[in-house]
Amino acid sequence: MSLQDQRFVLFSGKGGVGKTVISSAYALSCARRGERTLLMELNVKDKVSSFFGSSSVGSDIVEVEDNLFAVNVTPDAALEEYGLMILKVKLIYKAVFENRIISSFLRSIPGLNDLLMLGKAYFHATEVATDGSYVWDKVVVDAPATGHGLFFLQIPSVITGFISSGHMYEEAKRIQDLLQDPAKTALNLVTLPEEMPVNETLMMRDELQERMGLATTSIIANGVYPPLFSQEQYDWIDEARDAVAPDSELLGGFLDAASFRGQRVDLQNEYLERLENEVDLPLYYVPYHFTDRVTFPVISKIADQLAAQISGEQEPTALSAQ
């Protein structure tokens, strides 16, 4: 099954590996294929609007690109939406959920915020129009980073493990069933080809499978340095560094930079080979983009690169950063 096939697609990974960039680029690739796509941030400082040059993304769904919509889910907004779905009337919702005692009680329930946000994502992944068709062809979730991400994805199974009936149990069970259905849900891990991110990626893959029965769908290696020179050329650079006169600062600086780039590529290749050897999953490569900030052209290029690899039009290792 291709990553293009599932309706509910989540991205997680170690903090700082670029999962919001990858989530946004993947969502854009879906929208370009003609799928009505919803990209969900979860109670974070909005980054999506800066990627797409749109107005700020808040708790109301907004269109950020043709066929691509975004929302930044907060627990309070999710609770209000959920409460109104149950109680129907806003005045009654305010009387119940904004009551000081009830509000304090709700805040004291461990995991409730995560369940509300996950429930909001579940709602949109299964939302149908009056004609019975799905409202969204694709729901893409920029899930929390590794530690919080594990708890976030585990909360439905924790709830169903403690209680066996009632509305909260039924809600958690429906979400759990969706997460465990590989035909509908794709859970992807984003990493950098470095020691700590790769270690956390492998740990999270194992934890998801062993503790929650959740299979990882793919791994995306982000920030991969394409090699600039052949091994023969790197050997020549090393020889030239030894031969260059000590007072040739400019030439020496260029040679040092070229040598450093080669060492960086070699180091990354070690961790990429580790992923290839230890992970029996599709592995996609996203080149490092040399830019001071991520803007729409970068997101657009990554969207094309991911789409080409996922569709099989391009070999992952054949990617170029240019």
Side-chain angles (χ1 to χ4, degrees):
M1 177 170 284
S2 164
L3 188 53
Q4 294 176 342
D5 297 330
Q6 294 93 340
R7 176 182 308 283
F8 192 39
V9 182
L10 302 97
F11 292 87
S12 185
K14 187 179 187 303
V17 298
K19 61 184 182 57
T20 305
V21 168
I22 300 302
S23 302
S24 300
Y26 172 78
L28 178 60
S29 73
C30 296
R32 285 175 169 172
R33 284 201 309 273
E35 296 179 306
R36 193 168 189 268
T37 302
L38 177 62
L39 172 61
M40 303 184 72
E41 297 178 287
L42 301 180
N43 198 29
V44 295
K45 183 179 180 181
D46 169 39
K47 294 180 182 175
V48 168
S49 60
S50 67
F51 294 165
F52 291 94
S54 70
S55 57
S56 178
V57 175
S59 56
D60 293 326
I61 295 173
V62 295
E63 188 169 15
V64 296
E65 185 66 15
D66 290 345
N67 225 20
L68 176 58
F69 300 77
V71 64
N72 191 356
V73 181
T74 65
D76 287 344
L79 177 61
E80 180 173 351
E81 188 171 341
Y82 179 75
L84 288 172
M85 286 172 57
I86 301 298
L87 298 175
K88 310 296 183 187
V89 179
K90 194 158 189 172
L91 283 176
I92 298 178
Y93 163 80
K94 287 180 173 292
V96 175
F97 285 89
E98 294 186 4
N99 176 282
R100 183 173 56 84
I101 297 175
I102 293 178
S103 180
S104 297
F105 169 72
L106 291 174
R107 288 195 182 93
S108 69
I109 300 176
L112 180 62
N113 286 347
D114 291 300
L115 182 64
L116 286 168
M117 292 191 292
L118 194 52
K120 169 82 169 169
Y122 168 85
F123 169 75
H124 288 305
T126 58
E127 186 179 8
V128 293
T130 52
D131 63 359
S133 63
Y134 283 109
V135 172
W136 303 103
D137 299 312
K138 195 80 72 181
V139 173
V140 180
V141 180
D142 178 17
T146 311
H148 185 192
L150 283 170
F151 178 77
F152 174 78
L153 294 168
Q154 189 179 19
I155 193 67
S157 59
V158 170
I159 291 172
T160 56
F162 274 100
I163 58 177
S164 57
S165 64
H167 194 77
M168 179 175 276
Y169 169 83
E170 293 169 0
E171 193 75 14
K173 185 67 171 62
R174 283 193 289 267
I175 296 171
Q176 185 179 7
D177 289 345
L178 177 64
L179 289 174
Q180 291 178 331
D181 186 347
K184 298 177 180 176
T185 299
L187 181 55
N188 309 282
L189 302 181
V190 182
T191 187
L192 297 175
E194 299 173 5
E195 182 175 8
M196 285 300 294
V198 168
N199 287 342
E200 284 201 17
T201 298
L202 297 175
M203 179 274 294
M204 188 171 188
R205 175 207 56 177
D206 294 343
E207 291 286 306
L208 288 169
Q209 183 64 56
E210 294 166 7
R211 286 168 46 188
M212 303 170 220
L214 302 181
T216 302
T217 305
S218 75
I219 291 179
I220 297 96
N222 187 28
V224 178
Y225 279 50
L228 291 179
F229 308 107
S230 66
Q231 186 56 53
E232 183 180 8
Q233 289 169 325
Y234 276 122
D235 291 341
W236 178 87
I237 289 169
D238 287 339
E239 291 176 8
R241 289 175 69 208
D242 294 335
V244 71
D247 58 348
S248 300
E249 293 185 5
L250 182 59
L251 178 57
F254 278 125
L255 292 171
D256 286 345
S259 179
F260 175 80
R261 175 62 177 270
Q263 294 168 14
R264 185 75 176 177
V265 170
D266 289 344
L267 185 64
Q268 286 197 340
N269 282 340
E270 288 183 22
Y271 294 109
L272 292 173
E273 287 176 10
R274 184 182 173 197
L275 287 173
E276 291 168 357
N277 292 332
E278 297 187 24
V279 176
D280 186 19
L281 295 170
L283 177 60
Y284 303 117
Y285 297 79
V286 175
Y288 188 92
H289 288 265
F290 293 89
T291 178
D292 56 350
R293 67 188 184 96
V294 178
T295 56
F296 183 75
V298 176
I299 295 294
S300 177
K301 182 169 285 189
I302 295 174
D304 291 341
Q305 291 165 337
L306 281 175
Q309 293 178 73
I310 292 169
S311 67
E313 295 175 4
Q314 186 175 17
E315 287 293 326
T317 52
L319 275 175
S320 167
Q322 304 305 315

mmCIF file of all heavy atoms in Angstrom, residues 191-224:
data_model
loop_
_atom_site.group_PDB
_atom_site.id
_atom_site.type_symbol
_atom_site.label_atom_id
_atom_site.label_comp_id
_atom_site.label_asym_id
_atom_site.label_seq_id
_atom_site.Cartn_x
_atom_site.Cartn_y
_atom_site.Cartn_z
ATOM 1 N N THR A 191 13.065 11.923 10.583
ATOM 2 C CA THR A 191 14.333 11.929 11.310
ATOM 3 C C THR A 191 15.382 12.701 10.527
ATOM 4 O O THR A 191 15.202 13.005 9.345
ATOM 5 C CB THR A 191 14.826 10.483 11.556
ATOM 6 O OG1 THR A 191 15.981 10.521 12.402
ATOM 7 C CG2 THR A 191 15.189 9.791 10.249
ATOM 8 N N LEU A 192 16.454 13.026 11.198
ATOM 9 C CA LEU A 192 17.663 13.513 10.549
ATOM 10 C C LEU A 192 18.668 12.364 10.535
ATOM 11 O O LEU A 192 18.652 11.522 11.446
ATOM 12 C CB LEU A 192 18.258 14.711 11.313
ATOM 13 C CG LEU A 192 17.405 15.976 11.393
ATOM 14 C CD1 LEU A 192 18.104 17.018 12.283
ATOM 15 C CD2 LEU A 192 17.144 16.560 10.015
ATOM 16 N N PRO A 193 19.566 12.287 9.564
ATOM 17 C CA PRO A 193 20.569 11.214 9.554
ATOM 18 C C PRO A 193 21.695 11.506 10.540
ATOM 19 O O PRO A 193 22.845 11.708 10.157
ATOM 20 C CB PRO A 193 21.040 11.192 8.097
ATOM 21 C CG PRO A 193 20.789 12.562 7.582
ATOM 22 C CD PRO A 193 19.611 13.093 8.328
ATOM 23 N N GLU A 194 21.330 11.550 11.811
ATOM 24 C CA GLU A 194 22.271 11.813 12.903
ATOM 25 C C GLU A 194 21.982 10.816 14.022
ATOM 26 O O GLU A 194 20.914 10.199 14.058
ATOM 27 C CB GLU A 194 22.115 13.254 13.414
ATOM 28 C CG GLU A 194 22.398 14.305 12.347
ATOM 29 C CD GLU A 194 22.080 15.714 12.830
ATOM 30 O OE1 GLU A 194 21.737 15.864 14.017
ATOM 31 O OE2 GLU A 194 22.162 16.647 12.018
ATOM 32 N N GLU A 195 22.919 10.703 14.955
ATOM 33 C CA GLU A 195 22.835 9.645 15.958
ATOM 34 C C GLU A 195 21.562 9.714 16.804
ATOM 35 O O GLU A 195 20.786 8.753 16.861
ATOM 36 C CB GLU A 195 24.065 9.693 16.876
ATOM 37 C CG GLU A 195 24.065 8.574 17.914
ATOM 38 C CD GLU A 195 25.325 8.560 18.741
ATOM 39 O OE1 GLU A 195 26.124 9.508 18.615
ATOM 40 O OE2 GLU A 195 25.519 7.610 19.517
ATOM 41 N N MET A 196 21.321 10.836 17.497
ATOM 42 C CA MET A 196 20.185 10.900 18.410
ATOM 43 C C MET A 196 18.839 10.781 17.695
ATOM 44 O O MET A 196 17.958 10.026 18.134
ATOM 45 C CB MET A 196 20.243 12.197 19.227
ATOM 46 C CG MET A 196 21.293 12.181 20.318
ATOM 47 S SD MET A 196 21.009 10.850 21.517
ATOM 48 C CE MET A 196 19.478 11.400 22.255
ATOM 49 N N PRO A 197 18.626 11.524 16.593
ATOM 50 C CA PRO A 197 17.344 11.365 15.897
ATOM 51 C C PRO A 197 17.107 9.946 15.397
ATOM 52 O O PRO A 197 15.979 9.436 15.471
ATOM 53 C CB PRO A 197 17.473 12.358 14.727
ATOM 54 C CG PRO A 197 18.418 13.397 15.202
ATOM 55 C CD PRO A 197 19.412 12.639 16.031
ATOM 56 N N VAL A 198 18.146 9.289 14.885
ATOM 57 C CA VAL A 198 17.970 7.917 14.404
ATOM 58 C C VAL A 198 17.673 6.982 15.572
ATOM 59 O O VAL A 198 16.789 6.117 15.485
ATOM 60 C CB VAL A 198 19.220 7.455 13.626
ATOM 61 C CG1 VAL A 198 19.184 5.942 13.384
ATOM 62 C CG2 VAL A 198 19.305 8.196 12.298
ATOM 63 N N ASN A 199 18.384 7.152 16.696
ATOM 64 C CA ASN A 199 18.098 6.319 17.878
ATOM 65 C C ASN A 199 16.647 6.483 18.319
ATOM 66 O O ASN A 199 15.959 5.507 18.633
ATOM 67 C CB ASN A 199 19.036 6.698 19.031
ATOM 68 C CG ASN A 199 20.464 6.215 18.805
ATOM 69 O OD1 ASN A 199 20.695 5.331 17.979
ATOM 70 N ND2 ASN A 199 21.410 6.794 19.526
ATOM 71 N N GLU A 200 16.172 7.735 18.381
ATOM 72 C CA GLU A 200 14.791 7.976 18.826
ATOM 73 C C GLU A 200 13.791 7.415 17.824
ATOM 74 O O GLU A 200 12.724 6.930 18.201
ATOM 75 C CB GLU A 200 14.552 9.476 19.047
ATOM 76 C CG GLU A 200 15.159 9.990 20.330
ATOM 77 C CD GLU A 200 14.521 11.285 20.814
ATOM 78 O OE1 GLU A 200 13.410 11.619 20.346
ATOM 79 O OE2 GLU A 200 15.144 11.957 21.659
ATOM 80 N N THR A 201 14.121 7.495 16.550
ATOM 81 C CA THR A 201 13.217 6.962 15.529
ATOM 82 C C THR A 201 13.036 5.464 15.699
ATOM 83 O O THR A 201 11.909 4.950 15.674
ATOM 84 C CB THR A 201 13.780 7.263 14.125
ATOM 85 O OG1 THR A 201 13.843 8.674 13.953
ATOM 86 C CG2 THR A 201 12.906 6.657 13.031
ATOM 87 N N LEU A 202 14.144 4.758 15.880
ATOM 88 C CA LEU A 202 14.062 3.306 16.043
ATOM 89 C C LEU A 202 13.358 2.944 17.342
ATOM 90 O O LEU A 202 12.564 1.988 17.390
ATOM 91 C CB LEU A 202 15.469 2.702 16.001
ATOM 92 C CG LEU A 202 16.207 2.889 14.667
ATOM 93 C CD1 LEU A 202 17.640 2.372 14.769
ATOM 94 C CD2 LEU A 202 15.465 2.169 13.542
ATOM 95 N N MET A 203 13.624 3.721 18.404
ATOM 96 C CA MET A 203 12.953 3.473 19.676
ATOM 97 C C MET A 203 11.443 3.690 19.542
ATOM 98 O O MET A 203 10.631 2.882 19.997
ATOM 99 C CB MET A 203 13.522 4.413 20.754
ATOM 100 C CG MET A 203 12.884 4.288 22.136
ATOM 101 S SD MET A 203 11.376 5.287 22.346
ATOM 102 C CE MET A 203 12.049 6.959 22.249
ATOM 103 N N MET A 204 11.053 4.786 18.859
ATOM 104 C CA MET A 204 9.626 5.084 18.728
ATOM 105 C C MET A 204 8.928 4.031 17.872
ATOM 106 O O MET A 204 7.813 3.615 18.179
ATOM 107 C CB MET A 204 9.430 6.479 18.134
ATOM 108 C CG MET A 204 7.984 6.931 18.139
ATOM 109 S SD MET A 204 7.786 8.678 17.692
ATOM 110 C CE MET A 204 6.028 8.898 18.038
ATOM 111 N N ARG A 205 9.582 3.599 16.815
ATOM 112 C CA ARG A 205 8.988 2.535 15.981
ATOM 113 C C ARG A 205 8.695 1.306 16.825
ATOM 114 O O ARG A 205 7.614 0.711 16.754
ATOM 115 C CB ARG A 205 9.937 2.189 14.841
ATOM 116 C CG ARG A 205 9.471 1.021 13.986
ATOM 117 C CD ARG A 205 10.626 0.306 13.340
ATOM 118 N NE ARG A 205 11.620 -0.168 14.317
ATOM 119 C CZ ARG A 205 12.694 -0.882 13.994
ATOM 120 N NH1 ARG A 205 12.924 -1.169 12.744
ATOM 121 N NH2 ARG A 205 13.558 -1.278 14.919
ATOM 122 N N ASP A 206 9.667 0.903 17.657
ATOM 123 C CA ASP A 206 9.486 -0.289 18.488
ATOM 124 C C ASP A 206 8.401 -0.074 19.537
ATOM 125 O O ASP A 206 7.579 -0.963 19.787
ATOM 126 C CB ASP A 206 10.813 -0.646 19.170
ATOM 127 C CG ASP A 206 11.873 -1.089 18.158
ATOM 128 O OD1 ASP A 206 11.495 -1.428 17.020
ATOM 129 O OD2 ASP A 206 13.066 -1.042 18.517
ATOM 130 N N GLU A 207 8.405 1.101 20.180
ATOM 131 C CA GLU A 207 7.409 1.380 21.221
ATOM 132 C C GLU A 207 6.000 1.387 20.636
ATOM 133 O O GLU A 207 5.055 0.870 21.241
ATOM 134 C CB GLU A 207 7.709 2.735 21.870
ATOM 135 C CG GLU A 207 8.956 2.762 22.715
ATOM 136 C CD GLU A 207 8.759 2.045 24.037
ATOM 137 O OE1 GLU A 207 7.809 2.384 24.757
ATOM 138 O OE2 GLU A 207 9.547 1.124 24.340
ATOM 139 N N LEU A 208 5.850 1.991 19.473
ATOM 140 C CA LEU A 208 4.533 2.038 18.839
ATOM 141 C C LEU A 208 4.007 0.631 18.568
ATOM 142 O O LEU A 208 2.840 0.329 18.808
ATOM 143 C CB LEU A 208 4.604 2.826 17.525
ATOM 144 C CG LEU A 208 4.784 4.344 17.648
ATOM 145 C CD1 LEU A 208 5.102 4.953 16.277
ATOM 146 C CD2 LEU A 208 3.531 4.996 18.217
ATOM 147 N N GLN A 209 4.885 -0.218 18.088
ATOM 148 C CA GLN A 209 4.464 -1.579 17.732
ATOM 149 C C GLN A 209 4.210 -2.419 18.977
ATOM 150 O O GLN A 209 3.180 -3.087 19.088
ATOM 151 C CB GLN A 209 5.537 -2.227 16.857
ATOM 152 C CG GLN A 209 5.159 -3.620 16.382
ATOM 153 C CD GLN A 209 3.951 -3.621 15.470
ATOM 154 O OE1 GLN A 209 3.945 -2.946 14.449
ATOM 155 N NE2 GLN A 209 2.913 -4.357 15.834
ATOM 156 N N GLU A 210 5.152 -2.388 19.916
ATOM 157 C CA GLU A 210 5.081 -3.306 21.058
ATOM 158 C C GLU A 210 4.060 -2.882 22.094
ATOM 159 O O GLU A 210 3.379 -3.724 22.672
ATOM 160 C CB GLU A 210 6.476 -3.418 21.702
ATOM 161 C CG GLU A 210 7.497 -4.087 20.775
ATOM 162 C CD GLU A 210 8.923 -3.920 21.233
ATOM 163 O OE1 GLU A 210 9.118 -3.396 22.365
ATOM 164 O OE2 GLU A 210 9.838 -4.282 20.486
ATOM 165 N N ARG A 211 3.957 -1.567 22.361
ATOM 166 C CA ARG A 211 3.049 -1.111 23.412
ATOM 167 C C ARG A 211 1.661 -0.804 22.907
ATOM 168 O O ARG A 211 0.682 -0.899 23.655
ATOM 169 C CB ARG A 211 3.621 0.147 24.090
ATOM 170 C CG ARG A 211 4.797 -0.153 25.008
ATOM 171 C CD ARG A 211 5.514 1.108 25.435
ATOM 172 N NE ARG A 211 4.625 2.170 25.863
ATOM 173 C CZ ARG A 211 5.044 3.408 26.126
ATOM 174 N NH1 ARG A 211 6.328 3.701 25.995
ATOM 175 N NH2 ARG A 211 4.201 4.338 26.504
ATOM 176 N N MET A 212 1.532 -0.422 21.634
ATOM 177 C CA MET A 212 0.232 0.054 21.165
ATOM 178 C C MET A 212 -0.301 -0.711 19.965
ATOM 179 O O MET A 212 -1.423 -0.476 19.529
ATOM 180 C CB MET A 212 0.339 1.545 20.788
ATOM 181 C CG MET A 212 0.826 2.425 21.910
ATOM 182 S SD MET A 212 1.202 4.095 21.311
ATOM 183 C CE MET A 212 2.684 4.418 22.235
ATOM 184 N N GLY A 213 0.516 -1.583 19.407
ATOM 185 C CA GLY A 213 0.074 -2.305 18.222
ATOM 186 C C GLY A 213 -0.070 -1.414 17.010
ATOM 187 O O GLY A 213 -0.867 -1.704 16.113
ATOM 188 N N LEU A 214 0.701 -0.313 16.968
ATOM 189 C CA LEU A 214 0.626 0.623 15.846
ATOM 190 C C LEU A 214 1.835 0.413 14.936
ATOM 191 O O LEU A 214 2.983 0.541 15.379
ATOM 192 C CB LEU A 214 0.599 2.072 16.343
ATOM 193 C CG LEU A 214 -0.531 2.448 17.302
ATOM 194 C CD1 LEU A 214 -0.433 3.913 17.695
ATOM 195 C CD2 LEU A 214 -1.889 2.172 16.670
ATOM 196 N N ALA A 215 1.584 0.117 13.694
ATOM 197 C CA ALA A 215 2.666 -0.118 12.748
ATOM 198 C C ALA A 215 3.114 1.194 12.120
ATOM 199 O O ALA A 215 2.283 2.020 11.736
ATOM 200 C CB ALA A 215 2.211 -1.088 11.670
ATOM 201 N N THR A 216 4.421 1.373 12.032
ATOM 202 C CA THR A 216 4.959 2.544 11.331
ATOM 203 C C THR A 216 4.864 2.295 9.822
ATOM 204 O O THR A 216 5.156 1.199 9.341
ATOM 205 C CB THR A 216 6.434 2.764 11.723
ATOM 206 O OG1 THR A 216 6.494 2.935 13.142
ATOM 207 C CG2 THR A 216 7.000 4.003 11.041
ATOM 208 N N THR A 217 4.455 3.337 9.097
ATOM 209 C CA THR A 217 4.245 3.185 7.657
ATOM 210 C C THR A 217 5.509 3.489 6.861
ATOM 211 O O THR A 217 5.850 2.777 5.921
ATOM 212 C CB THR A 217 3.114 4.118 7.189
ATOM 213 O OG1 THR A 217 1.947 3.845 7.968
ATOM 214 C CG2 THR A 217 2.810 3.914 5.716
ATOM 215 N N SER A 218 6.194 4.560 7.225
ATOM 216 C CA SER A 218 7.408 4.925 6.491
ATOM 217 C C SER A 218 8.292 5.794 7.375
ATOM 218 O O SER A 218 7.856 6.302 8.416
ATOM 219 C CB SER A 218 7.061 5.686 5.201
ATOM 220 O OG SER A 218 6.675 7.017 5.491
ATOM 221 N N ILE A 219 9.523 5.965 6.929
ATOM 222 C CA ILE A 219 10.460 6.864 7.607
ATOM 223 C C ILE A 219 10.973 7.869 6.582
ATOM 224 O O ILE A 219 11.292 7.503 5.440
ATOM 225 C CB ILE A 219 11.610 6.082 8.248
ATOM 226 C CG1 ILE A 219 11.052 5.256 9.431
ATOM 227 C CG2 ILE A 219 12.733 7.011 8.708
ATOM 228 C CD1 ILE A 219 12.061 4.418 10.135
ATOM 229 N N ILE A 220 11.019 9.122 6.977
ATOM 230 C CA ILE A 220 11.503 10.180 6.089
ATOM 231 C C ILE A 220 12.789 10.741 6.674
ATOM 232 O O ILE A 220 12.789 11.294 7.783
ATOM 233 C CB ILE A 220 10.466 11.313 5.920
ATOM 234 C CG1 ILE A 220 9.190 10.770 5.262
ATOM 235 C CG2 ILE A 220 11.041 12.439 5.073
ATOM 236 C CD1 ILE A 220 8.098 10.389 6.206
ATOM 237 N N ALA A 221 13.877 10.572 5.953
ATOM 238 C CA ALA A 221 15.165 11.139 6.360
ATOM 239 C C ALA A 221 15.253 12.552 5.792
ATOM 240 O O ALA A 221 15.358 12.729 4.576
ATOM 241 C CB ALA A 221 16.303 10.268 5.864
ATOM 242 N N ASN A 222 15.230 13.523 6.673
ATOM 243 C CA ASN A 222 15.210 14.926 6.253
ATOM 244 C C ASN A 222 16.617 15.528 6.377
ATOM 245 O O ASN A 222 17.430 15.081 7.185
ATOM 246 C CB ASN A 222 14.225 15.694 7.144
ATOM 247 C CG ASN A 222 14.008 17.110 6.676
ATOM 248 O OD1 ASN A 222 14.137 17.416 5.491
ATOM 249 N ND2 ASN A 222 13.668 18.001 7.605
ATOM 250 N N GLY A 223 16.892 16.548 5.580
ATOM 251 C CA GLY A 223 18.155 17.262 5.694
ATOM 252 C C GLY A 223 19.353 16.463 5.224
ATOM 253 O O GLY A 223 20.443 16.558 5.800
ATOM 254 N N VAL A 224 19.170 15.645 4.181
ATOM 255 C CA VAL A 224 20.261 14.804 3.667
ATOM 256 C C VAL A 224 21.159 15.636 2.748
ATOM 257 O O VAL A 224 20.688 16.277 1.808
ATOM 258 C CB VAL A 224 19.691 13.596 2.900
ATOM 259 C CG1 VAL A 224 20.829 12.760 2.324
ATOM 260 C CG2 VAL A 224 18.806 12.759 3.815
#
